[in-house]
């Protein structure tokens, strides 16, 4: 399920609009993931997960930076995410199902903050983009 | 059996009471067909599905979305009893409609996203979590009679 030109344009347009605020939304998405899908917290036993946690915020920013990198390297996702792929495969070993929980919560977050931009087509393009990022991240799992 | 706390029930009903069944149902089903186009396989006889605009404007999709969401109202009324409530619909979806239960999960998540756009302010992480519990409960209840 490759990204079409339309998909890329839509994803980049939203990224441009979000500008330096991507971290705010990825942090909210993480908080939502922990509340809606409590099993995901098992990967963060070392962090303070209470609401407003600065550690969650810091992690949210890491995720934001990775997604922004991905959004600007749609032609070579596996290469640009190679280091993160290695990390997730060999060190973090997060079960792939969890990326879908997070991706869903990110869509919920973006939908409520950008309802005017969140057309069905944008929804589809973002879903595809996040799916491709997930595939790249788990590509070295086995 | 799924158990909903009083807070979870309140979170769900507070949103449900404000839902326009046709608007939200139509939008949810439309988005499902656009975001996951393979789900269109169940709607060959529903007329023009050739573009996102066609799908969102299709009156038959809108009507069917309303029907689906009306059924979800059954879930909201019977949160402590989902499997029994949906037993007949489960048989229908297996034996007559031949719908892969994976689709119930897809629809449930699209509904959560649509609710998020319409009720942005109230849709806190806790409210979302209650709704996630409901939609997965309905998905499981609808798959329960599959054989």
């Amino acid at each position: 399920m490759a990204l079409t030109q339309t998909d890329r344009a839509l994803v980049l347009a939203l990224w441009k609009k979000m500008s330096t605020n991507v971290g705010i939304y990825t942090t909210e998405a993480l908080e939502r993931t922990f509340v809606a899908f409590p099993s995901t917290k098992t990967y963060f036993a070392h962090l303070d997960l209470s609401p407003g946690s600065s550690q969650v915020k810091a992690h949210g920013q890491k995720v934001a930076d990775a997604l922004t990198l991905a959004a600007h390297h749609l032609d070579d996702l596996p290469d640009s995410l190679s280091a993160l792929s290695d990390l997730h495969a060999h060190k973090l070993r997060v079960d792939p199902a969890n990326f879908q929980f997070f991706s869903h919560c990110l869509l919920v977050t973006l939908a409520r903050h950008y309802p005017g931009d969140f057309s069905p087509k944008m929804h589809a393009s973002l879903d595809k983009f996040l799916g491709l990022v997930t595939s790249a991240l788990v590509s070295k799992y086995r | 059996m799924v158990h909903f706390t009083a807070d979870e029930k309140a979170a769900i009903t507070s949103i449900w009471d404000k839902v326009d069944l046709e608007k939200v149902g139509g939008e949810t089903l439309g988005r499902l067909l656009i975001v996951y186009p393979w789900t269109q396989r169940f709607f060959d006889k529903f007329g023009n599905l050739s573009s996102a605009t066609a799908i969102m404007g299709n009156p038959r999709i809108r009507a069917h979305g309303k029907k689906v969401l009306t059924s979800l109202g059954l879930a909201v009324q019977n949160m402590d009893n989902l499997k029994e409530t949906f037993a007949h619909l489960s048989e229908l979806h297996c034996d007559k409609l031949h719908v892969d239960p994976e689709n119930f999960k897809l629809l449930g998540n699209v509904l959560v996203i649509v609710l998020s756009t319409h009720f942005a302010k109230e849709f806190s992480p806790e409210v979302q979590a209650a709704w996630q519990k409901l939609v997965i409960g309905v998905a499981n209840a609808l798959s329960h009679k599959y054989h």
Side-chain angles (χ1 to χ4, degrees), chain B residues 3 17 21-22 39-40 45 47-49 54 60 65 71 73 81 84 101 107 109 136:
Chain B
H3 173 70
D17 289 343
L21 292 178
E22 189 178 333
T39 58
Q40 291 172 27
K45 308 229 166 71
N48 187 4
L49 302 181
R60 296 183 59 183
S71 290
N81 208 13
E84 285 84 355
L107 185 77
N109 279 334
I136 198 72

Side-chain angles (χ1 to χ4, degrees), chain A residues 1 31-32 35-37 104-105 107-109 111-112 115 118-121 123-124 127, chain B residues 31 34-36 38 52 56 109 112-113 116-117 120-121 123-126 128-129 132:
Chain A
M1 290 191 265
E31 285 167 354
R32 286 178 180 275
V35 176
F37 307 104
H104 169 69
C105 287
L107 290 178
V108 169
T109 303
R112 68 188 283 267
F118 205 78
S119 64
K121 275 194 178 160
H123 178 171
D127 194 65
Chain B
R31 279 179 184 267
I34 293 164
V35 179
Y36 308 106
W38 53 91
M56 295 309 275
N109 279 334
V112 168
I113 289 172
S116 175
T117 57
K121 226 169 161 205
F123 216 68
S124 66
E126 289 72 23
Q128 180 193 344
Q132 297 291 166

Side-chain angles (χ1 to χ4, degrees), chain A residues 27-41 49 97-98 100-106 108-109, chain B residues 2 4 8 108-109 112 123-137:
Chain A
T27 299
E28 181 180 326
L30 275 173
E31 285 167 354
R32 286 178 180 275
T33 307
F34 297 144
V35 176
F37 307 104
S39 59
T40 56
K41 293 189 291 185
L49 298 183
N98 294 283
Q100 286 171 333
F101 294 143
F102 174 75
S103 296
H104 169 69
C105 287
L106 184 57
V108 169
T109 303
Chain B
V2 193
F4 290 82
E8 285 167 342
N109 279 334
V112 168
F123 216 68
S124 66
E126 289 72 23
V127 171
Q128 180 193 344
W131 274 92
Q132 297 291 166
K133 208 168 159 177
L134 182 70
V135 299
I136 198 72

Side-chain angles (χ1 to χ4, degrees), chain B residues 82-131:
Chain B
L82 292 175
K83 289 206 166 72
E84 285 84 355
T85 303
F86 286 94
H88 169 69
L89 277 171
S90 180
E91 283 167 2
L92 180 80
H93 281 76
C94 174
D95 300 332
K96 293 263 147 51
L97 304 176
H98 311 291
V99 177
D100 177 350
E102 186 59 32
N103 292 284
F104 308 141
K105 293 184 198 171
L106 292 178
L107 185 77
N109 279 334
V110 173
L111 174 63
V112 168
I113 289 172
V114 171
L115 291 176
S116 175
T117 57
H118 288 290
F119 302 101
K121 226 169 161 205
E122 301 113 291
F123 216 68
S124 66
E126 289 72 23
V127 171
Q128 180 193 344
W131 274 92

